Amino acid sequence: MDEFLEQIRRSGVTLTPELAAAFAGLPREAFVPDGFRRNGGGWARPGDDDFLSLVYQDDALVTKVRDRLPISSSSQPSLMALMIEALDVRPGLRVLEIGAGTGYNAAVLASIGATVTSVDVQEDVAGRARAALARAGVEGVTVEQGDGYAGHPGGHFDRVIVTVGVAGISPRWLDQLEPDGVIVAPVDHAGMHPVLAARRPATLADPAGPLTAGLVCHAGFMTAAGPLSATHPGSFPPAAGARELGELTEFAPARFDPPLEGIPYRDLWYASGVWDRRTSHAAVPGVQQSSLALIDDDRSGGAVIFPDGSVRTAGPTLLGAEAASILDRWIAAGRPAVSMWRVGFTLTGDPEAPIWVPGSWELTS
Ligand SMILES: C[S@@+](CC[C@H](N)C(=O)[O-])C[C@H]1O[C@@H](n2cnc3c(N)ncnc32)[C@H](O)[C@@H]1O
């Protein structure tokens, strides 16, 4: 268990003693009794020689797949830790979780002393989460089946944590949240789901505000079902598949040596999404990770910004110049990290199921 905690810390997370005790006290394997998808393909099952060592990696464990796409999982523990830390959970607080999944995150929250209501849209997933929590002897968690857009009708909460990618914040969660309560949610931005932390203001009358949020960290989540993944006027284009953009030709040479690694590349990606709504990602043949791309509205072409700052374009597009100017702007702004942005929300979408989505951004110092 010490090695598990060390792995979580190696991802740059400072575990509070309470959170470390919660992770150390819970058998993660009890939450994945039917196993999970191996990273290289195939299924890891209890009884496999490496099962427990895989369970105690700082990795997401995909527990349910449909058409080869993950539709339920246990999130990456270091990401869970960052989100729980941002949630500012204390013993006795009432937490609404959207996306029960395996029940493991709810169990961690309950181990810190919260009372948790967790909602999952999939009946079988909710049932398995209930069984896992009982098997692990966790008390203080109720699992409900339902669309998380509705929250838990009739409930009152001090915190809301969302563990599935959403287009924005459901007004129902705000209705059920105490003033000054915190919502932590991965909200769609340029094809990723960076995690936002918002505090519920006393009033929410103005449809153009006053809900605002800070950025917790970069993340990628599976997308929610139902109105929580609604498209809206500020939605970003879907990712482009391999070769969808056509043949790429060089537009601008490399400018970062060494190339931007992991987090700085995502910082640039986030800023690109703020400055250009055509930002998404593209699968580029020969490149393992997906790449930051501006995609033409009619999807006839686009521009890809690579970690070394080079730009390559495809199709009849002017997006190469736009991509280069995003790079100029990000560099001129001092290469802002994602945590430097503050987001303002706007109420939009289907009048039957409106949703607060990010609509304005400012850089804080
Ligand atoms: C990444 S998993 C959640 C991880 C979970 N918290 C854990 O600790 O294992 C995302 C879950 O969100 C659920 N989900 C998707 N759309 C939903 C919605 N609209 N309302 C509630 N749950 C939803 C999925 O069924 C899936 O189980």
Side-chain angles (χ1 to χ4, degrees):
M1 201 53 91
D2 286 352
E3 170 54 23
F4 182 47
L5 297 184
E6 257 333 289
Q7 279 198 54
I8 297 175
R9 291 191 181 103
R10 269 202 293 277
S11 309
V13 180
T14 315
L15 289 174
T16 59
E18 294 78 15
L19 198 44
F23 277 115
L26 285 166
R28 194 182 189 201
E29 65 276 22
F31 296 87
V32 290
D34 303 319
F36 48 86
R37 189 169 72 178
R38 289 176 179 275
N39 283 338
W43 203 258
R45 299 186 187 282
D48 289 355
D49 288 348
D50 56 354
F51 187 73
L52 282 181
S53 73
L54 293 174
V55 165
Y56 288 102
Q57 301 284 328
D58 182 28
D59 275 336
L61 308 177
V62 172
T63 49
K64 190 172 174 188
V65 177
R66 186 182 296 144
D67 299 333
R68 299 173 64 196
L69 289 176
I71 55 168
S72 196
S73 65
S74 165
S75 304
Q76 186 180 13
S78 55
L79 178 56
M80 288 168 56
L82 284 170
M83 292 176 70
I84 291 173
E85 193 184 327
L87 197 63
D88 187 19
V89 191
R90 294 187 293 277
L93 293 190
R94 299 157 299 172
V95 178
L96 171 65
E97 180 188 48
I98 306 300
T102 62
Y104 183 56
N105 190 60
V108 173
L109 291 165
S111 300
I112 301 173
T115 303
V116 185
T117 303
S118 187
V119 181
D120 203 288
V121 73
Q122 301 186 67
E123 180 88 63
D124 60 328
V125 170
R128 278 198 291 274
R130 260 183 230 117
L133 288 155
R135 205 168 25 245
V138 176
E139 291 179 356
V141 182
T142 309
V143 179
E144 303 285 350
Q145 187 271 328
D147 190 316
Y149 176 83
H152 181 58
H156 297 282
F157 300 99
D158 304 293
R159 302 284 185 266
V160 178
I161 184 166
V162 184
T163 61
V164 61
V166 292
I169 307 263
S170 165
R172 311 290 180 261
W173 307 339
L174 293 165
D175 293 342
Q176 295 161 22
L177 186 62
E178 299 294 344
D180 222 31
V182 178
I183 299 182
V184 172
V187 177
D188 185 31
H189 181 93
M192 302 189 291
H193 290 107
V195 177
L196 306 183
R199 234 169 231 287
R200 185 202 189 283
T203 61
L204 287 160
D206 180 355
L211 189 63
T212 65
L215 268 294
V216 176
C217 60
H218 296 288
F221 272 83
M222 58 189 69
T223 301
L228 289 176
S229 58
T231 50
H232 55 85
S235 292
F236 293 89
R243 295 192 180 79
E244 192 184 333
L245 294 183
E247 189 74 13
L248 291 173
T249 52
E250 179 163 323
F251 178 86
R255 53 167 109 183
F256 301 125
D257 184 16
L260 302 172
E261 292 283 340
I263 288 178
Y265 186 49
R266 284 171 186 269
D267 291 339
L268 167 65
W269 195 318
Y270 189 87
S272 179
V274 171
W275 292 326
D276 197 312
R277 310 298 292 176
R278 290 165 296 187
T279 305
S280 185
H281 50 94
V284 177
V287 178
Q288 215 181 357
Q289 304 289 338
S290 61
S291 304
L292 160 55
L294 304 185
I295 299 173
D296 263 339
D297 293 337
D298 63 4
R299 299 183 80 75
S300 62
V304 179
I305 304 178
F306 290 91
D308 64 5
S310 63
V311 176
R312 282 185 248 163
T313 55
T317 178
L318 300 173
L319 288 177
E322 315 257 1
S325 83
I326 283 169
L327 280 155
D328 292 340
R329 195 168 168 186
W330 187 66
I331 293 166
R335 302 184 181 198
V338 72
S339 56
M340 292 178 68
W341 291 96
R342 185 125 202 117
V343 179
F345 290 82
T346 312
L347 192 63
T348 183
D350 178 356
E352 296 294 311
I355 188 158
W356 290 92
V357 300
S360 63
W361 287 261
E362 60 176 354
L363 273 173
T364 59
S365 46

